[in-house]
Amino acid sequence: MWLHIGLAGFLIMGLQQVAFVTGLNLMAAGEGSLLFSTAPIFTALIAAALGYERISRAGWLGIAAAMAGCALVILGGAGGQHVPETRVQGDILMLASSFGYALFMVISAPLMRQYGALKVVTFSFMFGLCLIIPFGGAGRAVRGTAAQECTVFCG
């Protein structure tokens, strides 16, 4: 149990959170939320690829339509609005984050059935925190607010 939760937390949730926050910093928040909402699509695709689920014809049609919409967002951007130069990198990171979250959901599903979702997610995030702290601390230390934020966060 601990090996699976540790790997899911460190490799998947840790990397997923780093990609999410980094991607969000490189793009508009609305675009980021739209791209992250692809997680259920990736969950269905991963579960189907691993033989856990079957996708119906209507499901494939919905997946194709949703992915076409994401492609339009990535390729079209925000039109005449200010678009950060780093937007495409943010788009890619946000899709990677969405894929990582979906992978976590599929891989941790058997553990959640056996041990409960609260326990699995709690310990996965604790293991993922080992990867997140170096990324978060480095950026905050530059601004001199890491100790203040940790104090507020930890109580």
Side-chain angles (χ1 to χ4, degrees):
M1 170 183 121
W2 291 110
L3 178 63
H4 291 102
I5 291 176
L7 287 173
F10 186 77
L11 296 175
I12 298 172
M13 288 311 295
L15 292 174
Q16 181 269 329
Q17 288 294 311
V18 169
F20 179 83
V21 171
T22 305
L24 199 54
N25 282 330
L26 298 174
M27 65 193 320
E31 185 177 347
S33 65
L34 177 67
L35 291 177
F36 189 75
S37 69
T38 59
I41 296 167
F42 288 129
T43 302
L45 292 173
I46 293 167
L50 295 176
Y52 297 139
E53 299 283 335
R54 286 190 48 153
I55 301 174
S56 67
R57 287 183 190 157
W60 282 112
L61 183 61
I63 288 171
M67 294 311 267
C70 286
L72 287 173
V73 168
I74 292 171
L75 297 174
Q81 299 174 357
H82 172 69
V83 178
E85 293 177 13
T86 57
R87 182 183 61 78
V88 174
Q89 293 135 336
D91 292 345
I92 292 168
L93 283 170
M94 193 57 68
L95 286 173
S97 173
S98 179
F99 183 84
Y101 183 77
L103 185 61
F104 172 77
M105 295 309 291
V106 172
I107 290 185
S108 65
L111 292 169
M112 289 185 192
R113 282 192 290 276
Q114 186 172 0
Y115 300 107
L118 182 61
K119 183 183 284 187
V120 172
V121 171
T122 299
F123 285 112
S124 293
F125 269 90
M126 286 176 61
F127 282 109
L129 187 63
C130 297
L131 183 67
I132 294 170
I133 285 176
F135 286 95
R140 288 183 180 92
V142 172
R143 292 188 296 266
T145 60
Q148 295 168 344
E149 290 182 16
C150 185
T151 303
V152 170
F153 179 74
C154 296

